[in-house]
Amino acid sequence: DEKEKFEPTVFRDTIVQGLNEAGNDLEAIAKFLDATGSRLDYRRYADTLFDILVAGSMLAPGGTRIDDNDKTKMTSHCVFFAEEDHDAIRNYAQVGIIKG
């Protein structure tokens, strides 16, 4: 039996790239997450996926982002960057709940 490597940074890079390519269209983001779910192990990387969908990148213990301000390692398509509006936050939550 060969153990599968745990590579959250590779997972992050894949998810962030797809979210950034989807643009501001939450429907496209939902479709990307749905399609990617069959290829990536969301259960194995649940914490990383949650960090990305809420904060836009992986978080270190204590809550600081570990992206070194590298735009390829972070996305603005997340709850933290959403409009401060009930409907906007609800739409992001629905994408996360349905796909996450």
Side-chain angles (χ1 to χ4, degrees):
D1 287 325
E2 190 175 315
K3 286 191 174 188
E4 188 177 337
K5 279 184 155 182
F6 183 68
E7 300 183 66
T9 56
V10 173
F11 177 84
R12 176 207 52 209
D13 294 346
T14 303
I15 296 294
V16 166
Q17 179 183 2
L19 293 177
N20 288 340
E21 289 174 359
N24 293 327
D25 182 2
L26 285 180
E27 184 70 28
I29 290 172
K31 286 180 183 178
F32 163 74
L33 290 172
D34 190 38
T36 306
S38 64
R39 291 185 293 118
L40 299 177
D41 189 352
Y42 282 174
R43 288 179 191 221
R44 181 179 180 103
Y45 298 105
D47 291 338
T48 304
L49 181 61
F50 182 79
D51 289 351
I52 294 167
L53 294 177
V54 173
S57 188
M58 286 174 51
L59 298 177
T64 57
R65 290 192 342 217
I66 33 181
D67 53 38
D68 300 322
N69 288 323
D70 182 345
K71 300 293 183 194
T72 64
K73 297 179 181 179
M74 54 194 254
T75 185
S76 61
H77 307 300
C78 63
V79 174
F80 281 9
F81 289 100
E83 294 179 37
E84 292 185 29
D85 172 88
H86 178 72
D87 290 332
I89 300 299
R90 184 169 27 109
N91 289 337
Y92 273 97
Q94 287 176 339
V95 169
I97 291 169
I98 293 169
K99 306 303 174 200

